[in-house]
Amino acid sequence: MSAIGEAKLFVPLNVAVLTISDTRSLSDDKSGSTLAERLTAAGHKLAAREIVTDDVEAIRVIVKRWISDEGVDVVITTGGTGFTGRDVTPEAIEPLFEKRMDGFSIAFHLLSHAKIGASTVQSRATAGVAGATFIFCLPGSPGACRDGWDGILASQLDYRTRPCNFVEIMPRLDEHLRRPKAKDASA
């Protein structure tokens, strides 16, 4: 079971929130607002917030921009993880992952199953790492965003969480890009 290590200081992260929807605007985006409110209440900074339509290329443009922005540590998307024809978030974002985070999807489905039962299978929540940026893709309901934040992200994005958290490994996410190949190493 995880716990907060009181001897460590909280490390605020820069988190970008992207709502993927053909029907929402900032004024009625309850899922994006839920995430923005929770992450700022936890002490993190809302680095950016946008809404984009369910279009693979439009989604990638924004997420790639945030991956390359040194002022963004984490990207959280909401929406587009279902099975309808317009739900394209995993197709848009998973090809950008350098490493996929299968455990996030499993943990999300366990939390979700406790609340909505077998209906959780209708979500393709996913996560991964790209360009030393964590990316989490949540379903488009405020309840799913609350569950994902409260049940997983709040603790994993808190440096004080023991036994481990994502913040403590952030400095090493791009070590494969910085580490030169060993001299005389065979391939």
Side-chain angles (χ1 to χ4, degrees), residues 49-66:
R49 181 172 172 202
E50 293 189 35
I51 296 179
V52 66
T53 59
D54 295 276
D55 175 84
V56 170
E57 288 309 314
I59 294 165
R60 283 186 188 156
V61 164
I62 295 169
V63 174
K64 283 181 181 179
R65 178 173 18 106
W66 288 344

Side-chain angles (χ1 to χ4, degrees), residues 33-186:
S33 293
T34 295
L35 290 168
E37 290 164 6
R38 278 177 153 63
L39 72 91
T40 55
H44 299 293
K45 179 184 175 209
L46 181 62
R49 181 172 172 202
E50 293 189 35
I51 296 179
V52 66
T53 59
D54 295 276
D55 175 84
V56 170
E57 288 309 314
I59 294 165
R60 283 186 188 156
V61 164
I62 295 169
V63 174
K64 283 181 181 179
R65 178 173 18 106
W66 288 344
I67 290 168
S68 66
D69 184 340
E70 290 185 18
V72 174
D73 302 309
V74 178
V75 172
I76 305 174
T77 73
T78 174
T81 62
F83 288 97
T84 72
R86 297 294 295 156
D87 291 325
V88 296
T89 299
E91 290 78 11
I93 297 176
E94 285 180 343
L96 304 177
F97 293 163
E98 294 164 10
K99 295 187 179 182
R100 188 178 162 117
M101 191 184 306
D102 295 325
F104 175 80
S105 181
I106 293 166
F108 179 80
H109 285 294
L110 286 169
L111 285 169
S112 183
H113 188 272
K115 298 204 174 185
I116 64 169
S119 294
T120 189
V121 300
Q122 293 189 29
S123 167
R124 297 182 297 146
T126 187
V129 178
T133 303
F134 287 109
I135 304 167
F136 303 96
C137 303
L138 294 169
S141 75
C145 290
R146 277 190 301 275
D147 293 346
W149 180 265
D150 296 349
I152 304 168
L153 298 177
S155 62
Q156 280 299 295
L157 297 178
D158 189 332
Y159 181 63
R160 302 168 300 172
T161 299
R162 297 281 139 244
C164 58
N165 60 75
F166 289 134
V167 183
E168 64 192 1
I169 63 171
M170 288 178 74
R172 296 179 44 217
L173 289 177
D174 66 350
E175 67 188 1
H176 65 290
L177 302 173
R178 295 179 282 121
R179 182 179 53 231
K181 288 188 177 185
K183 278 189 167 184
D184 302 322
S186 58

